[in-house]
Amino acid sequence: MSRKGEKVPGHGTAAGKHAGEQRPLSSVSTRRQRIAAIAQKYPDSPISTLSHHMDLLWMREAFGQLNRRSAVGVDGESVAVFGEQLDERLLELLEQAKSGSYRAPPVMRKQIPKNEKETRPIGIPTTANKVLERAVTMLLEPIYEEDFIDGSYGFRLNRNTHDALEVIRRSLMKMGGGWVLDVDVQKYFDTIQHNHLRDIVCQRVKDGVILRLINKWLKAGVWENGQIEYNTEGTPQGGVISPMLSNIYLNEVLDQWFVRQVQPRLRGKAKLVRFADDFVILFECKADAERVKDLLPDRFGQYGLTIHPEKTKLVDFRRPDRAGKIQSQTFDLLGFTHYWGKTLKKGLAVKKKTAGKKFKRAVRAIDDWCKANRHKPVKHQHAKLCQKIRGHYAYYGVTGNSRALGEFLDLVRKSWRKWLNRRNNKNGMPWDRYNAMTRHPYALPPPRIVRRSNPQTRFVF
């Protein structure tokens, strides 16, 4: 391992040299800007000195970004307990990381429902591990923000699902519709190949401390039902650094490959929009879409990933015509069903509504909650229900989705009344009493459009 400012033999690039020229600056944000500038200046060179930026100030910033109410890992230590002797713990963590004596503890695995039939594993690291993972992520972010393509939206700074959804809408509107390749990667987070991931990271990072830590996290193992399981593939979902590593992996497997090798050879326009492992590719020409669909399994297979043959489909999303010869299909992504719908000016626009499966799951979750909490004070139930309803509106309250929001509220009202009526009392909760109660003082939040779209293009018959 090289000391700060020295070149690594055989890997002494200009990027590594410049990254270590100055002593760490006092501001974490300034240092991150410096790393980003170096990454932008040397896009094809690995940076060999990064870990010297990790000092007590950097670690404090990493700790400050943790969720104070996050679940505890295998050691049972909460964020609050870790923070009682913060500087002492952070300095100890720093010394272990840089000396190589740090031992990554196994990640606690919990299974959460993915849909009606499947579960999704979530990894819960220890608090100390979360701090260190966050500190390393803070080093990697400014580098890879320069490398990630514009169509990548998952787990990135100042980007969210609604940004991705808006790009999809605008792109399809500009194309006048087209063909949508809706791709499903089987168990992506569980099948990331460690050897490929290490090679991909080494293309941009050559710092021995950082590479050693990443390798330890990959080999740490998973704790579930009292047993530790060691895997040679996959990153635990829920880990602080896992989203960054998974993004780095798909940036190489898919994003850069599509932009550099595939897109220049297509006949028509095409746009890749990806959020984590969920992505669609929008095509102007059907022939282009079919060609890329045929190429994807082999490309992903080279990196140990599998394209689901049944869930991956090509959707005819051309704009419907007046004669009815073109009848556009729909596709689901990020909780919404995308479709062509009428505008107030009797034209057509790409719209979205709550996807059927997501709608049913949200209603079922409310019903289960009402059942489990039916004997608690009505004031308490009302406050919690309002939080849940507003949370639903915050995500699904988009232009054109008012009907689904209204249906959701109606079903919530019915569910709440049903379980209040089944409380152990003589009078129950008849509808007239319930209606009066929910007018005042326990009114539920009405449907609200939180995110509005202003289509740049509309197609009028």
Side-chain angles (χ1 to χ4, degrees):
M1 181 181 70
S2 68
R3 293 190 298 273
K4 184 179 71 175
E6 292 183 349
K7 295 182 181 180
V8 181
H11 301 286
T13 63
K17 177 182 176 182
H18 285 277
E21 276 182 352
Q22 298 181 357
R23 295 183 58 82
L25 302 172
S26 58
S27 168
V28 172
S29 61
T30 302
R31 278 181 266 175
R32 281 164 57 87
Q33 292 172 8
R34 170 71 174 165
I35 296 171
I38 296 298
Q40 184 181 40
K41 187 174 182 180
Y42 303 97
D44 299 319
S45 299
I47 299 178
S48 59
T49 54
L50 280 171
S51 57
H52 65 280
H53 288 295
M54 287 200 304
D55 55 11
L56 182 58
L57 181 62
W58 191 279
M59 299 297 283
R60 284 176 183 164
E61 177 71 20
F63 176 80
Q65 294 183 19
L66 298 187
N67 182 351
R68 296 297 190 271
R69 294 183 291 181
S70 60
V72 299
V74 293
D75 62 355
E77 184 179 45
S78 66
V79 175
V81 172
F82 184 92
E84 290 176 358
Q85 296 178 309
L86 183 59
D87 284 0
E88 181 181 337
R89 295 295 302 277
L90 294 179
L91 288 172
E92 179 186 5
L93 201 57
L94 262 177
E95 193 280 328
Q96 292 176 351
K98 294 190 176 184
S99 67
S101 63
Y102 179 76
R103 296 184 64 182
V107 176
M108 180 182 292
R109 176 185 285 168
K110 296 288 185 181
Q111 300 288 339
I112 63 171
K114 180 179 180 181
N115 50 47
E116 291 77 6
K117 298 180 180 179
E118 299 176 298
T119 60
R120 171 177 292 168
I122 292 293
I124 307 173
T126 63
T127 298
N129 206 62
K130 291 175 186 175
V131 175
L132 197 51
E133 286 190 12
R134 173 53 61 190
V136 172
T137 300
M138 288 163 53
L139 289 172
L140 298 179
E141 278 177 341
I143 298 173
Y144 285 100
E145 278 298 312
E146 299 299 324
D147 294 356
F148 291 154
I149 70 168
D150 189 55
S152 170
Y153 288 87
F155 310 124
R156 291 186 59 186
L157 299 173
N158 303 317
R159 291 184 170 218
N160 56 44
T161 53
H162 288 281
D163 294 330
L165 292 166
E166 180 64 12
V167 167
I168 291 171
R169 185 190 68 80
R170 290 186 179 182
S171 298
L172 287 169
M173 292 289 287
K174 288 179 180 179
M175 287 184 187
W179 299 86
V180 178
L181 183 55
D182 184 4
V183 184
D184 183 270
V185 184
Q186 283 186 321
K187 297 182 178 180
Y188 170 64
F189 292 95
D190 297 330
T191 56
I192 293 176
Q193 303 295 299
H194 291 177
N195 58 331
H196 288 307
L197 178 58
R198 293 187 190 98
D199 292 342
I200 292 170
V201 172
C202 283
Q203 293 175 15
R204 287 299 266 150
V205 177
K206 284 291 186 180
D207 187 294
V209 172
I210 305 305
L211 295 179
R212 184 170 58 233
L213 285 172
I214 291 175
N215 190 50
K216 288 184 176 183
W217 288 324
L218 292 176
K219 297 165 66 174
V222 175
W223 175 279
E224 186 174 20
N225 299 325
Q227 295 183 337
I228 299 179
E229 178 183 350
Y230 296 96
N231 299 318
T232 58
E233 58 185 29
T235 60
Q237 295 186 60
V240 176
I241 201 168
S242 293
M244 171 59 70
L245 295 179
S246 63
N247 241 0
I248 292 172
Y249 203 68
L250 270 187
N251 180 63
E252 176 70 20
V253 176
L254 174 65
D255 302 353
Q256 296 296 335
W257 169 74
F258 179 79
V259 171
R260 295 180 180 181
Q261 300 183 39
V262 176
Q263 205 166 20
R265 295 177 171 86
L266 300 179
R267 296 188 214 169
K269 297 178 182 177
K271 177 73 174 178
L272 167 64
V273 181
R274 180 175 67 82
F275 192 95
D277 61 326
D278 293 321
F279 68 93
V280 293
I281 310 178
L282 318 175
F283 295 93
E284 190 176 31
C285 301
K286 183 179 182 181
D288 289 339
E290 291 175 334
R291 182 183 175 193
V292 174
K293 183 182 179 184
D294 292 338
L295 291 174
L296 281 176
D298 181 63
R299 174 64 182 179
F300 275 65
Q302 294 175 24
Y303 292 85
L305 303 176
T306 304
I307 300 295
H308 200 297
E310 297 176 359
K311 294 183 180 180
T312 298
K313 55 186 178 180
L314 186 58
V315 178
D316 183 352
F317 204 75
R318 291 175 294 170
R319 179 174 62 92
D321 61 355
R322 295 183 63 182
K325 294 181 180 180
I326 300 177
Q327 297 182 349
S328 181
Q329 299 172 327
T330 65
F331 66 96
D332 291 353
L333 184 70
L334 301 177
F336 289 92
T337 296
H338 302 254
Y339 67 101
W340 282 99
K342 289 288 185 70
T343 68
L344 294 176
K345 296 182 179 180
K346 298 182 179 180
L348 285 174
V350 176
K351 296 186 174 184
K352 51 185 177 284
K353 60 184 178 182
T354 310
K357 291 182 179 179
K358 299 295 184 180
F359 184 89
K360 292 178 181 178
R361 187 186 303 175
V363 171
R364 188 181 300 111
I366 291 288
D367 190 69
D368 291 343
W369 187 91
C370 290
K371 178 182 178 181
N373 294 272
R374 64 188 182 277
H375 293 299
K376 292 185 178 179
V378 173
K379 183 177 181 180
H380 169 82
Q381 294 186 48
H382 174 257
K384 293 295 184 181
L385 274 177
C386 287
Q387 290 179 8
K388 294 178 182 295
I389 293 170
R390 291 192 183 102
H392 186 86
Y393 294 163
Y395 189 78
Y396 292 103
V398 301
T399 300
N401 201 30
S402 298
R403 178 177 296 180
L405 297 182
E407 292 176 356
F408 174 76
L409 178 61
D410 186 54
L411 291 173
V412 169
R413 293 185 72 256
K414 290 178 180 177
S415 180
W416 192 25
R417 183 261 166 189
K418 178 182 72 175
W419 292 111
L420 287 176
N421 189 50
R422 296 187 184 185
R423 300 213 295 189
N424 295 325
N425 56 59
K426 296 180 180 180
N427 299 325
M429 181 61 69
W431 272 106
D432 56 349
R433 180 183 167 196
Y434 177 77
N435 288 333
M437 180 187 79
T438 51
R439 280 193 296 270
H440 183 77
Y442 299 118
L444 296 176
R448 181 181 171 217
I449 300 300
V450 179
R451 304 174 187 274
R452 298 189 179 276
S453 299
N454 294 312
Q456 295 180 338
T457 309
R458 281 195 173 92
F459 300 90
V460 182
F461 288 135

